[in-house]
Amino acid sequence: MKRISIGSWAYSIGPYASHPVDWQTVTRTLKEYGFDGVELGGFPPHPNPDDLKTKDSRKKVGDALKQLGLSFSGLAANLWAEKLINTDNTGHYFQTFVQNCDFCNDLGIKTIRVDSVQPPTVFEQVDYDTGMKRVTDTWKRCAKTAAERGLAVSWEFEPGFAFNKPSQVLQVLEKVNEPNFGVMYDTCHGQMVAVVGARHGAKKETLPGGQREFIRKLDGKINHIHLIDSDNTCHKDANGNDETSTHAPFGDGVINFDEVIPALNKAARLTEDWWTIDLCFWPDAWPVTKRCKAAIDELNRKYG
């Protein structure tokens, strides 16, 4: 059986930015619902390296979670203020990454999440090969540093960020090529990238075999899993434009988990035995959390 967690960012950004659910309420309620842990969105108002500057303050957070009987399944590092593709100096990105690695170590977190920071439209400013080199050179350096600290690095590809086509995902993995670097496979992103071709630009690249074909191509490269449904649409930004995948609650979308999860079980090489629910940007994330936990529990009984 897999351990089940959920991303805390669902209760602090997007629709919840103006009225976030506080950390204590999140963790105590997740315990009541039978979760095994929480995946930390490392930005305010939840615990983050800028607010918790000392090892002692971080230890208090970790100890409080342990007292509840919960664990951390990973950290979504706050790197979105950084530049990665449209700059020839990624030094500040790297330093912020290192700070988040130290934060992971202090909290006992074993997996740190990254993304390519900037949207696919960034290639209107930077040529593709230059952008690819900047990202993969930086992530190779990050992966080596994370390995020194005993951490896995998991890249969450998605429509809203550059390198969002199946072949591009494989190209990034080939170029980084570090044993502790892999992809975070989020099932709603897998749907939008491999089946819908969301935000692929003028030339879409979808796969005839859909998610199962994509997962096979990623064999041995998946080191963390997010499970959530997809309704084949993108979440809209403040201007009504497509941003990233809609994270629809289980049962509100089209994904056949009876096909996708066995494929993931075969292809994934998880660093730890977690399945994480991701309700990012879902407007009613807090009310549907209990229902999502019941749904993933059923999947866990069948395929965990």
Side-chain angles (χ1 to χ4, degrees), residues 1-2 4 33-34 36 275 277 290-303:
M1 298 287 282
K2 297 294 190 295
I4 304 300
Y33 290 170
D36 301 295
W275 281 351
I277 298 169
K290 190 173 184 179
R291 172 162 69 91
C292 286
K293 176 60 165 58
I296 204 172
D297 283 347
E298 179 59 29
L299 293 171
N300 203 8
R301 282 188 286 270
K302 293 170 70 175
Y303 303 115

Side-chain angles (χ1 to χ4, degrees), residues 79 82-84 89-101 137-146 148-149:
L79 294 164
E82 306 300 325
K83 291 185 177 181
L84 183 57
N89 181 5
T90 60
H92 195 269
Y93 175 100
F94 176 74
Q95 290 303 319
T96 303
F97 176 84
V98 172
Q99 291 168 7
N100 277 273
C101 286
D137 285 356
T138 303
W139 282 351
K140 179 177 278 288
R141 185 184 180 196
C142 288
K144 289 179 177 179
T145 298
E148 293 170 358
R149 290 160 169 77

Side-chain angles (χ1 to χ4, degrees), residues 67-78:
Q67 288 173 6
L68 285 172
L70 299 176
S71 302
F72 287 111
S73 61
L75 172 73
N78 187 3

